[in-house]
Amino acid sequence: MREFAYERPSSLDAAVAAFAGGGEAALIAGGHTLLPAMKSRLRQPDTVVDLAGVPGLTGISREGDTLWIGAMTTHATVAADAVVAEAIPGLAALALLIGDPQVRNRGTIGGVLANNDPSADYPAALLALGGSVETNLGSYDADDYFQGMFATALSDGEIIVRVGFAVPTASAYAKFRHPASRYAVVGVYVAQTAAEVRVAVTGAGPGVVRWAEAEAALTASFTPEAANGLILGGDLNTDIHASAEYRAHLAGTMLARAVAAAA
């Protein structure tokens, strides 16, 4: 890790200014992605801008049919919050499955969504729940936000302020976890509203995706049995943990478990 300047701004405007101050800059929230990348010299920023001192980036509230979570809110807070548990219990359960206690007490929802790791959990929830990402420059619907492996609609230096989740009538998440990292080998989030059923899959391919075939089956019958025989298609990952074929079948199993939990 080479020498760098460290900035801890006390306002959102100051954070934006610090990022644009010259040279390569990086925003840091929980640090679980940036710091390992810096140690291995995959990232070598001239300036690190710490968002921990920026007010207004934490907190959880419900406004009508939308649950809002501040970008710097930790996974542990989401998992334990009574407002989340009442509005979207599936989201609270998802947060409890992230990493271990150390990760959950340091990692943030905004950091996860800004990084968009293809095996992360929150992207599946945001996409399935038809959520939105608000930043210092505007907002993005979930369907437009995710743009492939580690890619999002965010512009360079754009800062996530809060994340909105539409409150469903029922939802749940099921994932097959890697035993060491706790990342999803395959994770499936299912959300049912009065208008539609949405299903999002993480871990299986190069990024989070909606599963149209599963959505159609669950629209006809929102039961675990509707998942019988469903096999995820598309460009799926093959690695030392699982083959593409295994992930394709595993998605159906996780789908059935998620529907059973939601029901």
Side-chain angles (χ1 to χ4, degrees):
M1 184 183 294
R2 68 179 178 85
E3 184 176 341
F4 58 88
Y6 172 76
E7 299 285 349
R8 188 181 170 91
S10 58
S11 70
L12 194 59
D13 288 342
V16 173
F19 185 91
E24 181 185 347
L27 301 169
I28 186 169
H32 288 121
T33 299
L34 179 62
L35 292 180
M38 291 173 65
K39 289 180 179 179
S40 60
R41 296 185 178 271
L42 295 174
R43 291 288 303 275
Q44 299 187 55
D46 301 297
T47 303
V48 172
V49 182
D50 190 344
L51 299 177
V54 177
L57 298 184
T58 60
I60 297 171
S61 63
R62 178 171 179 174
E63 300 174 10
D65 291 331
T66 303
L67 178 71
W68 290 102
I69 302 177
M72 290 293 289
T73 304
T74 65
H75 314 321
T77 300
V78 174
D81 188 82
V83 175
V84 178
E86 180 179 1
I88 314 178
L91 185 62
L94 176 151
L96 193 60
L97 292 175
I98 297 175
D100 52 29
Q102 290 83 357
V103 169
R104 291 193 292 273
N105 279 283
R106 185 66 184 174
T108 67
I109 187 171
V112 170
L113 293 175
N115 187 54
N116 190 24
D117 188 290
S119 296
D121 302 298
Y122 280 128
L126 187 72
L127 191 56
L129 290 165
S132 61
V133 176
E134 284 197 1
T135 75
N136 60 311
L137 299 181
S139 64
Y140 304 93
D141 291 336
D143 286 320
D144 302 319
Y145 178 77
F146 300 107
Q147 299 186 357
M149 184 180 294
F150 297 108
T152 70
L154 296 175
S155 60
D156 196 28
E158 191 170 3
I159 299 172
I160 298 176
V161 175
R162 64 176 185 167
V163 183
F165 297 89
V167 177
T169 53
S171 79
Y173 180 62
K175 75 170 175 177
F176 187 86
R177 296 189 292 179
H178 183 280
S181 70
R182 314 292 175 88
Y183 273 108
V185 175
V186 172
V188 178
Y189 200 106
V190 173
Q192 182 186 46
T193 67
E196 62 180 345
V197 175
R198 292 170 66 104
V199 179
V201 183
T202 188
V208 64
V209 294
R210 286 180 63 181
W211 190 359
E213 185 181 9
E215 291 175 348
L218 294 179
T219 298
S221 175
F222 196 77
T223 63
E225 291 72 26
N228 290 342
L230 290 182
I231 300 173
L232 181 66
D235 180 19
L236 305 184
N237 297 333
T238 290
D239 51 33
I240 62 173
H241 308 303
S243 67
E245 182 181 18
Y246 182 78
R247 283 184 162 93
H249 286 269
L250 185 59
T253 301
M254 294 301 105
L255 174 66
R257 292 181 183 180
V259 175

